[in-house]
Amino acid sequence: MEYKAFFKSGQNLFKNFDVKYAVFEDKGSFFIESEICGGFFREISFLGNCGEEKATETAKLFAEKRVHPLHIEDIISDMRF
């Protein structure tokens, strides 16, 4: 397992917590690991073999939009990689 990129969303008026997003590769497949900072909730979502660039762009978008880790798996399943 090798980490490729890290992103962090900031707090806003509606969400008073930060979320960290990390892209990692394991055996040719990419994943997004997300966790609420200071909490115990952590989620790992499978992206497949979409490539490092697409995986990084996706994680960056999630950070910009402040996507909660609970919703990432559903969003990824709606995206057509």
Side-chain angles (χ1 to χ4, degrees), residues 7-10 19 21 58-67:
F7 301 96
K8 184 177 178 182
S9 70
V19 180
Y21 307 85
T58 303
K60 183 178 180 181
L61 177 66
F62 290 163
E64 289 171 354
K65 300 296 182 181
R66 296 176 177 95
V67 176

Side-chain angles (χ1 to χ4, degrees), residues 7-12 15-21 34-39 41 63 66-69:
F7 301 96
K8 184 177 178 182
S9 70
Q11 298 179 9
N12 68 12
K15 296 180 182 176
N16 61 352
F17 53 86
D18 296 331
V19 180
K20 287 193 275 187
Y21 307 85
S34 55
E35 66 180 79
I36 295 174
C37 299
F41 188 80
R66 296 176 177 95
V67 176
H68 192 285

Side-chain angles (χ1 to χ4, degrees), residues 4 21 24 29 50 57 64 67 72:
K4 303 289 186 173
Y21 307 85
F24 69 89
S29 294
C50 62
E57 288 173 11
E64 289 171 354
V67 176
I72 291 177

